[in-house]
Amino acid sequence: MWSALDYPCSYGPEGPDCDPYCLYDIVNDPTEKKDLSKENPDMLKKLVERYNSYSKEPRDMQDQGYHSEDDIPKDPNACNCFVATAELPNIIFVLVDDWGFADVGFKNPAISSPNFDHLAKTGLVLNRHYVYMYCSPSRASLLTGRWPHHTHQWNLGNNSTAGTNLAMTMIPAKLKAANYATHMVGKWHQGFFDPRYLPINRGFDTSSGFLCGSEDHMTQNAICAIDYWKNNAPDPRNGTYDAYIYRDDLTDIINSHNTNEPLFLYLPLHNVHLPLQAPKEWLDIYPANSTCEKRHTLQAMISVADNVTGHLVELLKKKGIWDNTIMVISADNGGAHCSGSNYPLRGCKETLFEGGVRSLAFVNGGLLPESRRGQSTDGFIHIADWYTTFCKLAGVDPDDSGTGKFPVDGLDVWPIITGENEKTQHEEIVLGYNFDFNHPGQGAIIVGNFKLLVGLQNAFECDSLGWRPLDYPCSNGLEGPDCDPYCLYDIINDPTEKNDLSKKNPEILNKLLDRYHSYSMEPRDMQDQGYHSQFSVPRDPDACKYMQSNVCVLCSCFVATAKLPNIVFVLVDDWGFADVGFRNPAISSPNFDQLAKTGLVLNRHYVFKYCAPSRASLLTGRWPHHVYQWNLATDATAGTNLNMTMFPAKLKAANYSTHMVGKWHQGFFDPRYLPINRGFDTSSGFLCGSEDHMTQNAICAIDYWKNNAPDPRNGTYDAYIYRDDLTDIINSHNTDEPLFLYLPLHNVHLPLQAPKEWLDIYPANSTCDKRHTLQAMVSVADNVTGHLVELLKKKGLWDNTIMVISADNGGAHCSGSNYPLRGCKETLFEGGVRSLAFVNGGLLPESRRGQSTDGFIHIADWYTTFCKLAGVDPDDSGTGKFSVDGLDVWPIITGENEKTQHEEIVLGYNFDFNHPGQGAIIVGNFKLLVGLQNAFECDSLGWRPLNYPCSNGLEGPDCDPYCLYDIINDPTEKNDLSKKNPEILSKLLDRYHSYSMEPRDMQDQGYHSQFSVPRDPDACKYMQSNVCVLCSCFVATAKLPNIVFVLVDDWGFADVGFRNPAISSPNFDQLAKTGLVLNRHYVFKYCAPSRASLLTGRWPHHVYQWNLATDATAGTNLNMTMFPAKLKAANYSTHMVGKWHQGFFDPRYLPINRGFDTSSGYLCGWVDHFNQKQGCAVDCWKNNAPDPRNGTYDSYYYRDDLTNIVNNHDANNPLFIYLPLHNVHTPLEAPKEWLDIYPANSTCKTRHTLQAMVSVADNVTGHLVELLKEKEMWDNTIMVISADNGGDQCVASNYPLRGCKYTFFEGGVRSLAFVNGGLLPESRRGQSTDGFIHISDWYTTFCKLAGVDPDDSGTGKFPVDGLDVWPIITGENEKTQHQEIVLGYNFSSHGAIIVDNYKLIVGSQNARCDPLMWTPLDFPCSNGRVGPNCDPYCLYDIINDPSEENDLSNKNQEMLKKLLDRYNSYSKEPRDMQDQGYHSMGAIPHDPKACDYMKANGGYWRPWKNV
């Protein structure tokens, strides 16, 4: 209400409450009478997004981790109110296994459960108590206080070599700190392969029961051995119904308990889990159920569980400890399909419907307040909450944060139990995240009233999607549709999940999807401990052998001989999908045909689109973008990450002999990259990516290598040499050792060459003149492979061998045939990435011979599979590398399980070999392609005839920006669904873009394009002094290039003579006319951040976005290496003349201490051009001291300094000059001799002054060019001229662009820029380019030109964002390398981002003189057309609408959402590094005493801190 002035207790007028929101304009409505939340949804959305952005902050720092009043830690012993005896409470948790929501007497009269009924009737029933959808994860949540996906979501198999993270402190261990006696009786299911995982070692004083997930209730047999355990040893009491043994153990525990100690008892009963078994005395009380034949057994099992629980209550009462006890009884998940009843809820165990995750639960005990007895509560509780609640009751700290684990998720729900506060404390609960037990992406989240389900839920022969009758769960109840891809329910008003709102309420759907997908940012190696599917949990096939020597049903087939298998991998280079005899009768490949016919053909085997990355995936087990996606050039100074363990090195741990014969292509510039140093005992073949098959010449030198030295056998067709080497390896192999042989053949890669004896069997092909050569090369590869098989058979090794044969990518364009697939090598269509592949060998089960499989396999999977076959751990996690992506696909090969284990496979991510953002991902049935695929003179977009791949087949449209295919039903990719199925498109785009959050310095080792891979132009010189064809153009003189960067301050886009005849700038005009104009060169919207981006290579929000005031005690992050310091490593002379504006309060920030040999000019953001006065002092500085030359027009003394620098420069050293001119920044001042050439402008009084200032800047730049020419340095120079931002409002012209300095419109951030110098290729002179460049790119470009590493990663700073744009400058590749550029992020609620063709502007842009208009060419102060502001957003297609006339934010909601998602993704970055923590101009620290220091120290601006 609004209270009266002096009668606040009286009842004033009342207003509605804020449920869920209120929105007020508190400037115009300070009394908050008018709620605008419904009238102004755009503003509401903006503020809700800003509010929710704080959810990304560290939770342990917000409110010190206390997120509500009820969350504040309290000492329950302060008043001892709830423990009248001053004793800590006894805590009992009874967990009933697979207990249906309605499988209890008080919900279903057909069940006898008098004890449960009484405990519920006299206790508190929990209506909204949530668990996981099956056993082990629910237990882990209870015991560790984490949500399932923060501990694990997999059901541990009996032979699993995994368990609940040892770094997590379980609740009994916490309670030990309060001197609790802790006991467990029943089912453990938290891992036991290692003794450290046993309950006795996780905090329990005693434990009895069984360790795995299920056993025979009567005999305790679990598959191949007895599972009954007590403390640290087997328990011989097996042979008795397990619940009866539990009852006896409970009696012993309670009767022997010392009542002076508090008690914690965990009773995870085995009932009512499968197998359904009950003692006869309990079965006899239930009639058989004709609908569900086992239903009466389940009912009897409930009665047994009830009996054991009742017995425990009696024991506690007799011991006199019930009054000081709190007891919780809960199911671990919903009732199982076809036997348990979850009426009226939908679904069952192993689904995320309420019937699977809302558990039957209630609380009793003497400590339950009397007011709560006989009640129920709708308080929102997750099983993980009991961890925190029990800790608080026991007076111990629930905190369990630390390395290698997520913090505790559970909250204290004691206020709900006592009735003190029944409101839900959870903002949200993740019921499961992206887990693929049966279906890819399965998960669920509850936020407020709403629940989102992701992915298919139906996985069973008994349909789990419906609503079953109360006591006939096997009958056909009402069925509902599955969640594909989503379901959305209001579970407060629709707890039975009958009304899916996903299509009716897209706003809520998107909100919950955003919350759900936010968890994709969490460390993958901690979610589920890195095992992201049921099938990826490691298992030991010899576990049963260990348990019982004469019984083994789990042992894998391949270890029957007690020998490890021999493993052979044959990789055929550029082998087309149809380039084999069994698919194409025009090809002779009898050995391949026989191996496929008697083996297993892999229909869905995926690789990368070209050579080196596929090999890297195979050898390291990573997806290409997690190792690299570039094709290593011969002179590349890069290779497969040395931190990654290749699988031959893994196999060495199992005493394998490891050999490689053929093409390496994984780097060799450094000996550490050689195959002999990556795990191979021997290697022979060639090291680079291609060579002449006959001579082994690779560009400028011979490439043939054996082990550690060159191999002189060159001059023979390479495949023939391989055949000889294979003979030697097999014949000399010790058969007591297992063998690994890797045969990466060079055939059928270019150059297309074959011996005459093979060419002669094929007629020439008139359509493809080289086709018959390729066919002959296939036959040679077939011959070598057949020879290898024969060698293995003769040696007696074949029967214990598994052999995989695969292509490394699709057939090449214009020669290879990928029929019927679309596309070819170097595209991400199926023809480029679905490889010809098959498996054979003596270890292939007989049942799989002559078969094919649609099992989904990636080449990276063989790493894990081979490690598992060899009995070694495939784990290869560690610093500086992604963890292994590959899964064990042996179950697909054997037929044990052909279902896809991969939730998704990233075929390529954001790789710009030929097109920006090129990538692809497969999720379920669908494949998304991102970016243009056609990169060749021979069209690669179509479907080619079987044996005429060069003829004109049917062509298809390219993917711009996306294609979406159902590759199960449309494997030839003929029907693009991207427009027909936007929901699936959005889902796959979300998954694809989630990989943008991964560390950029690890994706592709930081080389994000083919062109950014480092190369050594002198490599050929090293190999052969008189041959070099790889040397870059700019080092033809053997000198590093001179680099000059001229930065003109506040220079308008049209303020130059070649764009505006009213301005005289003959030098600029000539440099642009004979140089290369950069049409799309981007900067920040004002001075200091643009300079910081240039000097550090970061986008503005990764260094800072504030304009430094003169007295600011801040500057460009000292941790960041500026590029003059980088160039010093290449012996550059480095000089700066002009405006610094990067901080100077501390001497460490001066240019002389940031990499410059000399500097002159001024330090702050502007000065009087004539007297260099800035406020209270003069700012004129040289090197380390004030410069007394003030009093001269600043550009004139810059000219003098340039003369001295160039004339005194030693031309034997490379030169870097940075010339950040003060012109044409305010104050608008020019010498009279320049003013006199311009008439006054009546519209803009100072316009003629600005024109004169441009002419002065032009004159200084022309003078510098002449100096370089006179010094004979120009021919070896590259010069870049750019503005630092758009022209200033009311005086400069940015025609035809919209806006000006201080705005994110193109007029503020697209700068006037051009390049010249002797090193600019002749073909680029007089041209312009639309290549997309950001000012930060010059950092990387200049480093690469100078031959220094641009990497500047490290603590306390973002890595370098800039890319190498030299290919744009030279014309080698004008296509944009950037997927996106952030022009500014969230600074004072303003920002902008460009993604592909589109630009998003966030926030109002209006400042001072209206910047929203399109200014006339030379009358920028006149009233031009004005456009609407961006409140909250503008969206423009800046390729087709560079002047930003058509705002698409309302017309193209899909694109708006895409760019908003990309923009908002930067909210995940560390806030203390974005802008160094100063998130507004007003937040920058200032020193009000700075002027006093200057006045006292000579009247010059200078550093005043740490002097």
Side-chain angles (χ1 to χ4, degrees), residues 55-285:
S55 68
K56 313 298 186 296
E57 296 178 328
R59 294 186 65 209
D60 56 345
M61 290 165 60
Q62 285 182 334
D63 280 338
Q64 301 176 52
Y66 312 128
H67 300 292
S68 73
E69 187 72 34
D70 309 301
D71 219 5
I72 303 171
K74 299 177 183 179
D75 187 347
N77 293 319
C79 292
N80 288 322
C81 57
F82 72 84
V83 191
T85 61
E87 294 176 1
L88 290 173
N90 303 308
I91 301 170
I92 313 287
F93 201 102
V94 180
L95 197 66
V96 186
D97 203 347
D98 289 2
W99 195 17
F101 191 74
D103 282 335
V104 68
F106 68 88
K107 287 185 173 175
N108 185 346
I111 291 176
S112 173
S113 56
N115 297 293
F116 287 148
D117 297 350
H118 188 257
L119 288 167
K121 184 178 179 182
T122 62
L124 178 70
V125 176
L126 310 178
N127 293 332
R128 296 190 67 209
H129 185 269
Y130 284 89
V131 292
Y132 193 58
M133 61 178 176
Y134 43 75
C135 312
S136 185
S138 288
R139 286 161 166 76
S141 283
L142 169 66
L143 292 166
T144 69
R146 275 81 171 179
W147 290 336
H149 79 291
H150 283 164
T151 172
H152 62 75
Q153 294 174 115
W154 19 269
N155 243 356
L156 284 163
N158 292 21
N159 64 342
S160 295
T161 53
T164 300
N165 192 339
L166 292 172
M168 296 180 178
T169 308
M170 287 192 172
I171 182 68
K174 281 283 189 183
L175 299 183
K176 294 298 293 175
N179 298 316
Y180 270 73
T182 59
H183 306 276
M184 188 204 93
V185 177
K187 166 179 167 174
W188 179 232
H189 209 191
Q190 296 296 283
F192 69 96
F193 73 103
D194 181 316
R196 295 174 298 164
Y197 289 85
L198 291 174
I200 205 80
N201 296 319
R202 301 304 299 263
F204 288 103
D205 294 330
T206 72
S207 73
S208 64
F210 67 106
L211 300 174
C212 64
S214 180
E215 59 166 16
D216 188 287
H217 290 264
M218 304 289 189
T219 66
Q220 289 72 54
N221 188 65
I223 304 179
C224 62
I226 302 297
D227 182 8
Y228 211 74
W229 196 263
K230 188 161 188 176
N231 299 331
N232 266 321
D235 187 337
R237 290 180 293 173
N238 61 289
T240 302
Y241 192 75
D242 48 16
Y244 288 4
I245 309 176
Y246 303 163
R247 195 165 55 186
D248 293 343
D249 288 343
L250 292 170
T251 303
D252 292 343
I253 290 167
I254 303 302
N255 287 345
S256 61
H257 177 65
N258 178 354
T259 56
N260 292 322
E261 294 179 352
L263 170 70
F264 172 64
L265 178 61
Y266 173 45
L267 177 58
L269 293 165
H270 188 197
N271 290 29
V272 295
H273 195 287
L274 296 171
L276 296 184
Q277 299 167 312
K280 186 174 185 301
E281 61 267 29
W282 294 99
L283 279 171
D284 288 346
I285 66 174

Side-chain angles (χ1 to χ4, degrees), residues 1195-1206:
S1195 290
Y1196 286 4
Y1197 73 79
Y1198 298 164
R1199 195 166 55 188
D1200 294 342
D1201 287 344
L1202 292 169
T1203 302
N1204 292 331
I1205 289 167
V1206 176

Side-chain angles (χ1 to χ4, degrees), residues 1286-1437:
D1288 206 354
Q1289 50 232 5
C1290 307
V1291 63
S1293 175
N1294 299 306
Y1295 180 86
L1297 304 178
R1298 183 183 183 191
C1300 59
K1301 177 180 178 178
Y1302 295 109
T1303 77
F1304 284 117
F1305 291 120
E1306 294 289 275
V1309 293
R1310 187 188 286 210
S1311 82
L1312 173 55
F1314 42 96
V1315 179
N1316 208 309
L1319 289 179
L1320 184 70
E1322 200 61 38
S1323 62
R1324 302 296 276 169
R1325 297 188 179 281
Q1327 306 296 314
S1328 66
T1329 178
D1330 291 328
F1332 190 17
I1333 298 175
H1334 189 268
I1335 195 170
S1336 63
D1337 295 332
W1338 296 111
Y1339 183 100
T1340 300
T1341 305
F1342 292 161
C1343 285
K1344 291 292 184 70
L1345 289 175
V1348 296
D1349 186 355
D1351 177 62
D1352 189 39
S1353 54
T1355 306
K1357 56 184 172 180
F1358 288 100
V1360 168
D1361 295 298
L1363 302 181
D1364 180 7
V1365 294
W1366 189 244
I1368 294 177
I1369 304 306
T1370 63
E1372 183 183 351
N1373 180 11
E1374 291 202 65
K1375 297 201 171 125
T1376 296
Q1377 298 180 54
H1378 283 287
Q1379 176 195 349
E1380 65 193 27
I1381 286 182
V1382 182
L1383 298 175
Y1385 172 69
N1386 209 30
F1387 186 65
S1388 302
S1389 299
H1390 294 259
I1393 189 171
I1394 296 174
V1395 180
D1396 299 324
N1397 284 20
Y1398 291 90
K1399 176 179 169 186
L1400 171 74
I1401 300 178
V1402 176
S1404 173
Q1405 300 299 306
N1406 198 11
R1408 298 208 302 256
C1409 175
D1410 197 313
L1412 303 180
M1413 68 181 180
W1414 294 266
T1415 55
L1417 178 60
D1418 205 41
F1419 299 93
C1421 293
S1422 65
N1423 292 321
R1425 291 183 301 114
V1426 176
N1429 210 332
C1430 297
D1431 190 6
Y1433 315 117
C1434 294
L1435 178 70
Y1436 298 103
D1437 176 349

Side-chain angles (χ1 to χ4, degrees), residues 23 36-49 507 1431-1433 1449-1450 1453 1456:
L23 178 69
L36 305 175
S37 59
K38 292 185 173 59
E39 294 178 26
N40 197 333
D42 287 344
M43 187 57 68
L44 174 66
K45 182 176 184 291
K46 176 181 174 183
L47 269 70
V48 166
E49 286 178 351
E507 192 172 333
D1431 190 6
Y1433 315 117
S1449 58
N1450 292 323
Q1453 292 285 311
L1456 175 64

Side-chain angles (χ1 to χ4, degrees), residues 910-987:
N910 206 31
F911 187 65
D912 58 354
F913 174 66
N914 285 287
H915 296 285
Q918 197 180 45
I921 189 171
I922 296 175
V923 181
N925 284 21
F926 293 92
K927 174 179 170 187
L928 170 75
L929 288 100
V930 176
L932 298 166
Q933 302 296 314
N934 190 16
F936 312 105
E937 68 290 343
C938 173
D939 198 304
S940 54
L941 300 179
W943 297 265
R944 299 296 180 184
L946 178 59
N947 208 26
Y948 299 92
C950 292
S951 66
N952 293 320
L954 178 65
E955 298 300 326
D958 209 336
C959 298
D960 189 9
Y962 315 117
C963 294
L964 177 70
Y965 298 104
D966 177 348
I967 52 168
I968 300 299
N969 299 307
D970 177 27
T972 57
E973 296 171 307
K974 293 195 174 176
N975 300 307
D976 180 7
L977 305 175
S978 58
K979 294 184 170 60
K980 299 175 185 173
N981 201 329
E983 198 169 328
I984 294 292
L985 176 65
S986 176
K987 175 185 172 182

